[in-house]
Amino acid sequence: MPQASTEATSSGAASGGQLEERIDLSTETTQKITQAASLPLTDALALLSALEKRCRVGNDTPSLVKVCEASLELCHGAGDHEALVSTLKTLSTRRSQKSKAIAALVTKCLPWVVDADGDGFTPLPTASSAEAATNQETLVTELRNITDGKMYLEAERARLTRSLAIIKESSGDIATAANVLQDVHVETYGSISKREKIEFILEQMRLTLLKRDYVRAYIVSNKVKRSMLDEEGMSELKIKFYVLLSQYHSQQRDALELARCFHAIYSTASADASTEEEDKDDNKWKESLTNTVVFLCLSEYSNEVKDMMERINLDPQLEKIVECKETISSFLKNEIIHYPLPHQTMLESIPAFVNGGETDDASLALKEHWHTTFHTRIIQHNLRVVSNYYRQIHTSRLATLLSLTPAETEQHLSNMVSSGALYAKIDRPKDIVRFAKKRCEEEVLSDWAGDIKELLGLVEETTYLIQKENMVQSH
C-alpha cells in the first residue's frame, strides 16, 4: 500500500550517516508562526505546541528553536506573565527536549529581566508596582531552575544567580541573597572569564560579611588565588578584595593580617598612581600606608613584624607622612618609648579603628580594644629594651621607667614570659627582676671548652703561618 505523501521532506531513517531520522518542517514552521501571530494567545500557543512536538520528534532543531522563541514572544508581547512562565516551564521540560532549544529559551528571556547588553546580571528597572518586581523575580527564578545542572548554560546560571541576589538584597533580605549566591561554585566553571569569576567571589564575600557569617566569608576568600590579583588589569579587584578581607580581620582583631591587607592596598594604589591623578590618588595611598604603620605597631612582636617595619621604613613615600615616619622609627630603635606618643591622637583617629564594628557599641568596643593594645605594645617594646641593657633591675625602678605601677609592671612582665616573648625571673622579697638566664655548670663548661678549642685553632694557624714565612725567607 503506497505511503501517503506529506508536505514535510524526510531525510530517511539513519540515511547518510545520520543517527536519527530528520524531517524538514521549515516551510510549515514559517507559515504557522505567521498564522499564530493573528490568533488569540491561547489558540496561538495550542497551534505552536502541536508544531513544537512535531519538530522535536522529527529532529528538526532549527525549526524547533524558532517555534520555542515564537511562543515566548507571543506571551511577552501580550503581557501575560503567567502564560510566559508556564510556557517557558512546559517547553523546557518536554521529553527529550533538545539542548539547543533550552538554550534558546533562556537566551530569549534574558533581555527581558537583565541588562544583557551590559554586564549581563544587573536586573532591569521595573515599575514602582510590587507586581512588576514579583514578576521579574519569578521569571529569574524559573530561568535559574531551567539552567540548573546544565553545563552548557553554566555562565547564564551564574549571571542569573547574581541577578537574583541583587533583587533579594534590594528588598532587604541579605541572608537569602547570600545563601542564593553561595549555591553557585563559580570557581569550577570553565565558560566564565577569570575576571568575572573573581567579581562573583568578591560579591559572595561582601554578602556573607553583611550577613555576619565571618567563617564562611573567610572560606570564600580562599577561593581567590592571590597570583591572579597580581595580573595586569586586576588592580581594582585586588583593592576590593583586600578591603573586604580587612573587614574580616578587623572583626577577628588580627592586627598583623590587617597590616598585610592595607600594605597590599597601598602597594596597588601607589603603583597605579599617575601624574595626572596625583592629587586624587594621594589620599588613597596615604590612608593605606597610615593604616599599615598603625596596625604593624599594634601587632605582636616577631621577626616578620620587624622585617616588615624595616622595609616600610625605607619606603620614600613614608617621608610624606611625618607622624607615621616618627612612630615606626621609635619602634625600630632600642630606646624606651614614652606613652602617649606625640601623634597618638592622630594615629587612633583613623577610620580603620572602628570599621569592624557591627553596631555603634561594637565600634566603640573595637576602638577601645585597639587603644588598649597600642599601650600594651609600647610597654612590651620598653620591656624588650630594658632586658637588652639590664641583667637585673629593681621592680620599682622598672615600673618608673615604664610609667606603670609595680602591679601593672609585674602583670605585663608575666604575660610576656608566659608567651615566650621574654625571659625573666621575679624575686619579690628582694624586689628584683632578673633578665639574664642563670646558666648551669654544664653550659658554662661547654662554652669554656668551645672557647679553648677556638683559641687552640688560632694558635695552630698562627704557628703554621710563621713557619711558612720562615721557610720562604730561608730560600
Side-chain angles (χ1 to χ4, degrees), residues 246-267:
S246 68
Q247 294 178 18
Y248 166 77
H249 290 304
S250 181
Q251 179 64 29
Q252 301 300 311
R253 301 184 179 184
D254 191 335
L256 180 55
E257 289 297 336
L258 281 168
R260 288 173 181 157
C261 289
F262 286 120
H263 189 256
I265 295 172
Y266 160 70
S267 302

Side-chain angles (χ1 to χ4, degrees), residues 277-288:
E277 300 180 351
E278 185 175 357
D279 294 336
K280 178 182 176 182
D281 290 334
D282 261 0
N283 292 332
K284 185 186 297 183
W285 70 257
K286 279 184 178 180
E287 180 183 356
S288 302

Side-chain angles (χ1 to χ4, degrees), residues 301-370:
Y301 181 82
S302 65
N303 291 333
E304 182 182 1
V305 172
K306 185 178 180 181
D307 177 68
M308 196 171 179
M309 281 186 173
E310 294 281 6
R311 287 187 284 112
I312 291 176
N313 192 42
L314 297 175
D315 193 332
Q317 297 281 27
L318 193 63
E319 301 290 344
K320 299 180 181 180
I321 312 176
V322 180
E323 299 86 353
C324 293
K325 178 66 176 178
E326 293 180 358
T327 301
I328 204 167
S329 297
S330 300
F331 274 86
L332 288 173
K333 292 178 182 177
N334 278 328
E335 298 177 2
I336 289 180
I337 301 174
H338 295 286
Y339 182 86
L341 295 169
H343 311 291
Q344 189 79 29
T345 305
M346 176 269 174
L347 295 174
E348 292 186 359
S349 64
I350 59 174
F353 255 50
V354 295
N355 278 351
E358 300 168 358
T359 61
D360 292 341
D361 292 340
S363 297
L364 290 174
L366 184 62
K367 186 173 183 178
E368 182 61 28
H369 166 76
W370 292 131

Side-chain angles (χ1 to χ4, degrees), residues 158-287:
R159 293 172 188 135
L160 285 166
T161 301
R162 193 167 176 185
S163 179
L164 183 59
I166 293 173
I167 293 173
K168 292 292 185 182
E169 184 183 6
S170 62
S171 63
D173 194 353
I174 301 295
T176 304
N179 292 336
V180 165
L181 217 57
Q182 289 173 29
D183 288 341
V184 177
H185 302 285
V186 72
E187 66 276 6
T188 64
Y189 289 2
S191 59
I192 297 180
S193 66
K194 191 183 300 182
R195 184 181 182 85
E196 191 173 354
K197 285 182 182 179
I198 295 177
E199 288 176 346
F200 194 96
I201 294 172
L202 292 183
E203 189 66 12
Q204 287 180 325
M205 284 182 64
R206 186 184 67 83
L207 287 175
T208 49
L209 286 170
L210 286 176
K211 186 186 172 185
R212 300 177 185 175
D213 187 355
Y214 298 104
V215 175
R216 176 67 61 181
Y218 183 69
I219 293 173
V220 171
S221 70
N222 290 329
K223 295 179 181 180
V224 179
K225 290 185 179 179
R226 307 308 191 260
S227 57
M228 289 184 181
L229 297 174
D230 294 330
E231 296 179 3
E232 186 178 356
M234 294 290 188
S235 300
E236 182 182 351
L237 296 180
K238 181 178 179 180
I239 291 176
K240 184 177 180 181
F241 170 76
Y242 281 108
V243 167
L244 292 172
L245 195 59
S246 68
Q247 294 178 18
Y248 166 77
H249 290 304
S250 181
Q251 179 64 29
Q252 301 300 311
R253 301 184 179 184
D254 191 335
L256 180 55
E257 289 297 336
L258 281 168
R260 288 173 181 157
C261 289
F262 286 120
H263 189 256
I265 295 172
Y266 160 70
S267 302
T268 309
S270 59
D272 290 346
S274 58
T275 53
E276 293 85 359
E277 300 180 351
E278 185 175 357
D279 294 336
K280 178 182 176 182
D281 290 334
D282 261 0
N283 292 332
K284 185 186 297 183
W285 70 257
K286 279 184 178 180
E287 180 183 356

Side-chain angles (χ1 to χ4, degrees), residues 130-146:
E131 183 181 358
T134 303
N135 291 341
Q136 184 184 48
E137 182 179 341
T138 303
L139 185 54
V140 171
T141 303
E142 186 58 42
L143 289 172
R144 281 189 72 245
N145 294 338
I146 293 173

